[in-house]
């Protein structure tokens, strides 16, 4: 009886074993079949090996300075710039592996132990997703399905893709890809953007506790966001540090010390309207690259776009801008313009100027200006596009609404206020606008570009878009023509008397008799050097009469100015409209021994793989002889030695008003080195210019209003020497403080053969003409 019972028990156990193995084999074969079917694409197409080796990710285009600094990025949604594994700090990799995948370097894409643990404990003791699986999900799963069955299929696909990724890439490459693709929020796409946006540094410079914050965000960057949930992210960071300690990447002392530290977020948002060189970046984006893309089709593979996409293709645009000079330029503009604007507001209170910010205009003229401004505004254009009636549009311009406007007094240069759109138009017209460009004349490389005071609120670029009357800064072209054609010397003399060019000569329809700016004529003989230094219109009129306007226009055209210029005598006093870009390029030939070099902004373009797509070729033209160019430099040195630019050599406040130093900028320069330059002021002080040169840097500055009726009342405040020259002085002073920039303080190179007489012993180079100082005294208006 006992034997029979035992036999029956053995038979039952044997049956159980058979069923167990049968089910096990069936399950294993079924799983294998499911994986095999998934790999065949039964449950949906899988990426090919070619696709795995070249995954499609949207990459931001990067604009890079000549000294290797990222000036900005161009993107629609993905602000992503990939970096290599060797550019990742060791502490970041350690934090990632310790937290996300401790056995990363020992598995082949799927962690069997982790998967079994997750299956047995239903995910209660941690998930099983490896770094490679997370990468496959980021690359090829757009959204996790809400259906359980579909999610299981997605998971199977991710496992298959993970194993294929492991065969296509090294472990290091997979880590780099994962960190480059992850979206950390706030336009921080990828680890490089995240490091720059959350900590203001490159990834390689991240400290351990900073790396722990970013790795902690990998769990869910929208939830674990340091700007929204600081305490939660702090706790998550410490969890990451705890994991690093658990796996011996940190000692207990290091872990405890780092966990006790406060979380120091240095948030640096990145957008197209913020950051350095905003006007320059916009030029690159909307002008240079737009033109280049239209002329250079993309060598497209099957199924790809045949046109480069500036916002998705991850191009690298290498520019000539020096980030340090650019910072100096922007600081110089900010420092001077804030003080200049304070004085402008002071002079244009309702009591002092009832038509502020306009001067000398009747109500009808002001109404026309405002009407035109309204009709070219974004608001008018958008409402017109929406089909709104003109009555409704006009009505909207007179309804008060909340808005953020520019404000010099605010630390952020913005303030919230309530006003009508029409009032905001007039408000913005009260602000003076600057423009500045600096170029290396020997190469044409543009080193700094400032198109306004704040791109967020003033998006019109006065470097390239804005053309303005150039005033006396045009005179050197007239002098150059006279010296080139007539072999005149800076020491040759002409009388300071009213001079007329009769009607019918040089295209004149009527007699042209230009007066000096102070309407005084000394009757003295002036050397050309002294005449240019003190900007005598009478002498310039005589010179253009001698050479004719046609020859002057010819020289200007050869110096890179493409726009049409009237061949009439009045151009000698700068009646033509030119922009800073053209003027700096033209003046560059004087400093480059007579050779014009077209300004260069972009030197090279590469695709995401580093393939060179474009390299610039210098465009040059011999315009003047070395002798004539050096003579012009000598003439313009006189401007800073004994003319309107002499304030570059002095220091302290304007001797005519003790508050001047506080209100505007004073003369804090005391330059001792050779400087050639020319100031310019147009009628009614509507435009102020200064063109300044040292041997290896040519810089132009313009300051004026949006409308010509927006200007200072007197020449004391409105002349180029007061509005534009201080920006040049501040900029150069900052440049000289940084020796690494290599800005020359030496002599201009003298040609070996020089037959033109430059030593004018009669020249007085120790101060401005007394009559100019007297003129300033007469114009002061307290």
């Amino acid at each position: 009886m006992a034997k029979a019972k035992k036999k029956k028990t053995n038979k039952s156990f044997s049956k159980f074993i058979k069923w167990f193995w049968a089910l096990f084999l069936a399950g294993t074969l079924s799983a294998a079949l499911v994986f095999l079917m998934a790999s065949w694409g039964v449950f949906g197409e899988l990426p090919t090996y070619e696709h795995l080796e070249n995954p499609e990710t949207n990459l931001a285009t990067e604009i890079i300075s000549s000294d290797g600094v990222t000036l900005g990025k161009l993107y629609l949604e993905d602000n992503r710039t990939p970096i290599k594994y060797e550019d990742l700090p060791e502490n970041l990799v350690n934090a990632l592996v310790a937290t996300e995948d401790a056995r990363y370097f020992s598995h082949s894409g799927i962690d069997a132990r982790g998967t079994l643990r997750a299956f047995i404990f239903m995910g209660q003791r941690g998930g099983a997703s490896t770094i490679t699986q997370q990468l496959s999900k980021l690359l090829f799963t757009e959204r996790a399905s809400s259906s359980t069955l579909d999610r299981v299929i997605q998971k199977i696909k991710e496992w298959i893709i993970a194993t294929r990724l492991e065969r296509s890439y090294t472990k290091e490459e997979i880590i780099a890809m994962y960190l480059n693709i992850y979206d950390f929020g706030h336009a921080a796409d990828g680890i490089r953007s995240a490091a720059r946006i959350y900590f203001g540094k490159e990834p390689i410079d991240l400290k351990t506790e900073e790396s722990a914050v970013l790795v902690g965000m990998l769990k869910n960057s929208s939830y674990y966001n340091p700007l929204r949930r600081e305490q939660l992210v702090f706790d998550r960071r410490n969890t990451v540090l705890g994991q690093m300690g658990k796996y011996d990447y940190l000692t207990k002392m290091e872990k405890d010390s780092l966990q006790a530290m406060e979380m120091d977020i240095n948030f640096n948002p990145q957008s197209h309207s913020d950051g350095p060189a905003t006007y320059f970046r916009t030029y690159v984006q909307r002008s240079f690259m737009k033109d280049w893309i239209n002329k250079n089709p993309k060598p497209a593979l099957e199924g790809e776009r045949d046109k480069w996409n500036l916002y998705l293709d991850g191009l690298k645009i290498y520019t000539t801008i020096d980030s340090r000079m650019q910072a100096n330029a922007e600081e110089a503009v900010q420092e001077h313009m804030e003080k200049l604007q304070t004085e402008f507001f002071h002079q244009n209170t309702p009591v002092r100027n009832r038509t502020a910010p306009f001067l000398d205009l009747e109500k009808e003229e002001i109404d026309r200006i405002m009407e035109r401004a309204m009709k070219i505004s974004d608001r008018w254009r958008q409402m017109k596009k929406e089909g709104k009636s003109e009555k409704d549009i006009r009505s909207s311009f007179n309804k008060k609404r909340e808005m953020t406007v520019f404000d010099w007094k605010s630390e952020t240069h913005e303030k919230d206020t309530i006003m009508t759109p029409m009032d905001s138009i007039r408000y913005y017209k009260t602000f003076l606008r600057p423009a500045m460009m600096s170029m290396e004349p020997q190469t044409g490389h543009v080193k700094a570009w400032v198109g306004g005071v704040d791109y967020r609120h003033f998006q019109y670029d006065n470097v390239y878009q804005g053309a303005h009357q150039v005033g006396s800064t045009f005179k050197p072209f007239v002098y150059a023509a006279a010296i080139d054609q007539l072999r005149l010397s800076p020491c040759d003399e002409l009388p300071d008397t009213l001079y007329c060019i009769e009607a019918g000569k040089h295209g004149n329809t009527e007699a042209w008799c230009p007066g000096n700016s102070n309407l005084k004529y000394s009757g003295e003989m002036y050397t050309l050097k002294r005449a240019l230094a003190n900007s005598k219109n009478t002498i310039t009129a005589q010179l253009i009469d001698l050479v004719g306007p046609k020859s002057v226009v010819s020289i200007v055209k050869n110096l890179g100015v493409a726009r049409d210029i009237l061949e009439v005598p009045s151009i000698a006093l700068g009646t033509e409209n030119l922009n800073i870009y053209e003027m700096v390029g033209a003046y560059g030939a004087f400093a480059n021994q007579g050779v014009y070099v077209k300004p260069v902004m972009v030197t090279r373009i590469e695709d995401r793989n580093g393939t060179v797509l474009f390299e610039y070729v210098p465009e040059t033209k011999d315009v003047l002889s070395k002798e004539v160019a050096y003579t012009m430099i000598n003439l313009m040195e006189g401007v800073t030695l004994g003319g309107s630019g002499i304030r570059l050599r002095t220091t302290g406040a304007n001797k005519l008003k003790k508050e001047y130093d506080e209100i505007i900028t004073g003369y804090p320069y005391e330059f001792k080195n050779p400087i050639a330059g020319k100031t310019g002021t147009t009628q009614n002080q509507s435009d102020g210019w200064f063109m300044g040169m040292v041997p290896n840097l040519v810089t132009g500055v313009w300051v004026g209003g949006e409308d010509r009726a927006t200007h200072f009342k007197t020449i004391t405040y409105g002349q180029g020497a007061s509005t534009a020259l201080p920006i040049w002085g501040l900029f150069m002073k900052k440049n000289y403080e940084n020796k690494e920039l290599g800005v020359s303080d030496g002599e201009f190179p003298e040609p070996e053969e020089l037959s033109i007489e430059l030593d004018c012993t009669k020249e007085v180079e120790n101060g401005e003409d007394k009559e100019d100082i007297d003129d300033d005294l007469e114009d002061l208006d307290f």
Side-chain angles (χ1 to χ4, degrees):
M1 191 73 182
K3 279 186 176 181
K5 189 173 183 180
K6 184 175 182 182
K7 190 174 181 180
K8 188 176 181 181
T9 302
N10 288 338
K11 190 175 180 181
S12 297
F13 181 73
S14 177
K15 190 176 181 181
F16 170 77
I17 292 296
K18 287 179 181 179
W19 274 105
F20 172 80
W21 282 110
L23 289 172
F24 177 79
L25 288 173
T28 303
L29 289 173
S30 297
L33 182 62
V34 169
F35 274 92
L36 191 60
M37 292 172 67
S39 67
W40 290 341
V42 173
F43 303 125
E45 189 177 354
L46 286 173
T48 64
Y49 278 101
E50 289 79 10
H51 195 183
L52 286 173
E53 292 178 1
N54 298 280
E56 290 181 4
T57 55
N58 295 336
L59 301 181
T61 288
E62 193 172 5
I63 302 176
I64 304 168
S65 71
S66 61
D67 55 322
V69 175
T70 298
L71 296 174
K73 298 179 185 179
L74 303 174
Y75 57 90
L76 294 178
E77 295 179 355
D78 298 333
N79 177 20
R80 181 179 292 109
T81 304
I83 60 174
K84 297 178 181 178
Y85 179 83
E86 49 264 34
D87 296 321
L88 298 172
E90 185 180 6
N91 61 52
L92 178 67
V93 175
N94 292 342
L96 174 64
V97 172
T99 307
E100 298 292 327
D101 193 352
R103 287 176 291 279
Y104 174 72
F105 287 102
S106 60
H107 64 63
S108 298
I110 298 175
D111 182 4
R113 286 171 57 186
T115 302
L116 186 61
R117 182 194 65 227
F119 179 76
I120 292 172
F121 296 101
M122 304 300 291
Q124 296 300 310
R125 295 190 180 181
S129 186
T130 65
I131 291 173
T132 316
Q133 286 175 260
Q134 292 178 50
L135 173 61
S136 69
K137 181 180 178 181
L138 288 173
L139 284 172
F140 304 111
T141 302
E142 291 185 7
R143 181 187 299 176
S145 177
S146 57
S147 164
T148 302
L149 179 60
D150 289 343
R151 184 63 194 126
V152 169
I153 292 173
Q154 282 182 341
K155 201 71 179 175
I156 291 170
K157 286 182 177 181
E158 289 168 13
W159 284 346
I160 295 170
I161 294 170
T163 58
R164 290 183 177 182
L165 284 171
E166 290 274 349
R167 291 198 291 269
S168 299
Y169 296 96
T170 67
K171 290 286 188 180
E172 290 76 14
E173 288 173 332
I174 288 171
I175 283 179
M177 288 175 66
Y178 176 54
L179 291 174
N180 280 326
I181 288 173
Y182 192 83
D183 179 2
F184 290 86
H186 292 288
D189 299 296
I191 191 64
R192 186 170 184 222
S193 292
R196 290 168 64 90
I197 288 175
Y198 290 110
F199 296 105
K201 58 179 66 174
E202 293 295 327
I204 197 67
D205 299 319
L206 288 170
K207 298 176 183 177
T208 301
E209 65 273 19
E210 294 168 340
S211 292
V213 170
L214 297 179
V215 169
M217 293 175 69
L218 294 172
K219 189 171 184 178
N220 185 333
S221 61
S222 62
Y223 187 68
Y224 291 95
N225 187 296
L227 301 182
R228 295 168 56 194
R229 299 181 178 91
E230 185 176 352
Q231 184 60 46
L232 187 69
V233 176
F234 176 83
D235 294 339
R236 178 65 182 161
R237 181 204 71 172
N238 285 353
T239 298
V240 173
L241 293 171
Q243 288 294 101
M244 294 180 75
K246 176 181 176 180
Y247 291 103
D248 298 325
Y249 292 113
L250 296 174
T251 66
K252 186 178 186 309
M253 184 179 294
E254 288 172 333
K255 180 194 70 119
D256 292 343
S257 175
L258 291 172
Q259 286 181 331
M261 294 179 65
E262 291 185 3
M263 191 169 63
D264 185 16
I265 300 297
N266 178 19
F267 187 58
N268 295 274
Q270 292 184 356
S271 75
H272 301 308
S273 299
D274 294 303
T278 45
Y279 292 93
F280 175 77
R281 282 157 38 202
T282 301
Y283 161 78
V284 170
Q285 173 189 2
R286 297 180 182 174
S287 183
F288 185 92
M289 288 305 297
K290 182 179 179 181
D291 182 62
W292 183 83
I293 287 171
N294 287 335
K295 294 178 180 177
N296 295 272
K298 182 180 181 180
L301 299 174
E302 187 177 351
E304 288 189 351
R305 299 181 299 269
D306 62 355
K307 191 173 184 179
W308 292 104
N309 190 308
L310 195 56
Y311 309 98
L312 304 177
D313 285 338
L315 302 176
K316 289 191 185 307
I317 304 170
Y318 293 90
T319 73
T320 58
I321 293 291
D322 186 296
S323 66
R324 299 159 297 181
M325 284 195 191
Q326 180 68 29
N328 290 344
E330 291 176 3
E331 288 171 10
V333 167
Q334 294 282 318
E335 288 174 22
H336 176 64
M337 290 305 297
E338 184 173 1
K339 293 181 179 180
L340 189 68
Q341 190 68 52
T342 299
E343 177 60 25
F344 189 76
F345 284 150
H346 174 72
Q347 295 185 20
N348 282 276
T349 60
V351 175
R352 293 184 174 90
N353 179 14
R354 60 180 180 82
T355 60
F358 311 109
L359 271 174
D360 306 321
L361 290 186
E362 297 298 326
K363 183 181 183 302
E364 293 75 16
E365 295 173 293
I366 294 174
D367 289 343
R368 280 197 295 270
I369 290 174
M370 297 298 293
E371 174 80 3
R372 180 177 178 276
M374 178 177 65
K375 287 188 173 182
I376 64 173
S377 68
D378 290 337
R379 171 179 291 275
W380 181 283
R381 189 161 45 246
Q382 183 61 35
M383 293 185 73
K384 199 78 173 173
K385 188 177 179 181
E386 293 170 359
K388 299 286 196 263
S389 68
E390 183 166 324
K391 181 181 178 181
D392 289 341
I393 296 174
R394 287 183 179 277
S395 175
S396 75
F397 274 84
N398 293 300
K399 293 178 180 177
K400 288 189 176 183
R401 61 189 66 241
E402 294 180 354
M403 60 179 71
T404 301
V405 297
F406 180 77
D407 179 29
W408 275 117
K409 296 178 181 178
S410 167
E411 186 176 342
T412 62
H413 291 162
E414 287 185 324
K415 71 176 180 180
D416 295 326
T417 188
I418 298 176
M419 63 172 70
T420 68
M422 188 60 85
D423 286 339
S424 75
I425 290 175
R426 189 154 187 159
Y427 173 77
Y428 275 105
K429 285 183 178 294
T430 64
F431 290 95
L432 298 173
R433 317 295 172 89
M436 175 185 182
M437 189 177 109
S438 192
M439 182 189 81
E440 186 177 69
Q442 291 76 23
T443 62
H445 288 193
V446 175
K447 296 298 182 181
W449 177 306
V450 184
V453 292
D454 190 313
Y455 185 78
R456 295 170 299 174
H457 296 275
F458 304 93
Q459 297 193 356
Y460 189 77
D461 181 4
N462 282 293
V463 168
Y464 195 76
Q465 292 176 292
H468 309 279
Q469 283 192 359
V470 294
S472 293
T473 55
F474 194 89
K475 289 177 180 176
F477 305 133
V478 179
Y479 279 69
I483 292 169
D484 186 42
Q485 293 185 25
L486 307 176
R487 308 301 295 172
L488 295 180
S489 159
C491 308
D492 287 332
E493 297 181 332
L494 290 171
D496 175 26
T497 55
L498 186 64
Y499 188 86
C500 291
I501 299 178
E502 63 269 23
K505 189 176 183 181
H506 300 314
N508 269 349
T509 56
E510 55 186 37
W512 183 61
C513 307
N516 290 326
S517 60
N518 58 7
L519 301 179
K520 296 178 181 178
Y521 313 96
S522 66
E524 298 177 23
M525 297 299 290
Y526 266 67
T527 63
L528 297 189
K529 190 170 188 178
R530 187 181 173 206
L532 184 64
N534 291 288
S535 212
K536 293 296 180 182
N537 294 341
T538 54
I539 308 297
T540 310
Q542 294 173 64
L543 292 177
I544 200 166
D545 191 19
L546 289 171
V547 298
K550 187 173 183 177
S551 63
V552 175
V553 171
S554 176
I555 282 181
V556 173
K557 291 282 188 181
N558 285 328
L559 292 176
V561 176
R563 70 182 75 228
D564 292 333
I565 297 177
L566 291 175
E567 295 177 356
V568 293
S570 60
I571 63 171
L573 304 187
T575 55
E576 288 296 319
N577 291 335
L578 301 177
N579 61 33
I580 283 284
Y581 172 86
E582 293 167 315
M583 290 295 286
V584 170
Y587 267 66
F590 296 135
N592 193 34
Q593 299 185 310
V595 180
Y596 168 76
V597 182
K598 185 178 179 180
V600 179
M601 283 70 71
V602 176
T603 57
R604 190 169 82 256
I605 302 172
E606 295 178 357
D607 68 10
R608 67 172 68 189
N609 299 313
T611 303
V612 177
L613 306 174
F614 163 82
E615 259 185 312
Y616 91 103
V617 177
E619 296 181 41
T620 66
K621 181 185 284 189
D622 291 337
V623 180
L624 302 169
S625 68
K626 291 182 179 180
E627 187 178 29
V628 171
Y630 185 73
T631 301
M632 286 306 305
I633 289 294
N634 179 270
L635 275 168
M636 286 187 278
E637 282 185 289
V639 173
T640 68
L641 291 172
S644 54
I646 194 174
R647 55 194 70 191
L648 292 171
R649 308 291 185 184
T650 59
T651 185
N654 185 305
K655 52 187 170 290
L656 303 176
K657 183 178 180 184
K658 67 179 182 179
E659 297 96 342
Y660 190 88
D661 188 37
E662 298 172 11
I663 294 176
I664 303 188
T665 305
Y667 314 144
Y669 317 115
E670 289 190 290
F671 293 121
K672 306 296 182 186
N673 56 293
I675 299 170
K678 186 69 190 80
T679 58
T681 310
T682 60
Q683 189 174 13
N684 295 327
Q685 301 79 240
S686 293
D687 307 275
W689 288 79
F690 184 70
M691 304 296 300
M693 296 178 283
V694 296
N696 65 350
L697 200 64
V698 176
T699 304
V701 183
W702 168 87
V703 174
E706 184 179 39
D707 304 283
R708 296 195 60 77
T710 303
H711 57 80
F712 281 103
K713 186 175 183 179
T714 68
I715 198 169
T716 300
Y717 293 96
Q719 63 180 304
S722 295
T723 61
L725 177 144
I727 293 175
W728 189 94
L730 291 171
F731 172 62
M732 292 301 291
K733 201 168 179 67
K734 293 174 187 293
N735 287 341
Y736 283 130
E737 288 170 357
N738 187 348
K739 300 298 182 185
E740 292 182 3
L741 294 177
V743 178
S744 174
D745 60 359
E747 299 284 343
F748 288 88
E750 182 177 332
E752 294 180 3
E753 297 181 6
L754 187 61
S755 61
I756 298 175
E757 178 60 54
L758 301 180
D759 183 15
C760 308
T761 55
K762 296 179 182 178
E763 184 63 59
V764 178
E765 298 180 340
N766 294 318
E768 297 178 59
D769 281 2
K770 184 178 185 302
E771 66 182 71
D772 293 331
I773 295 175
D774 290 342
D775 187 49
D776 285 348
L777 281 165
E778 291 173 8
D779 283 323
L780 275 176
D781 180 21
F782 297 108

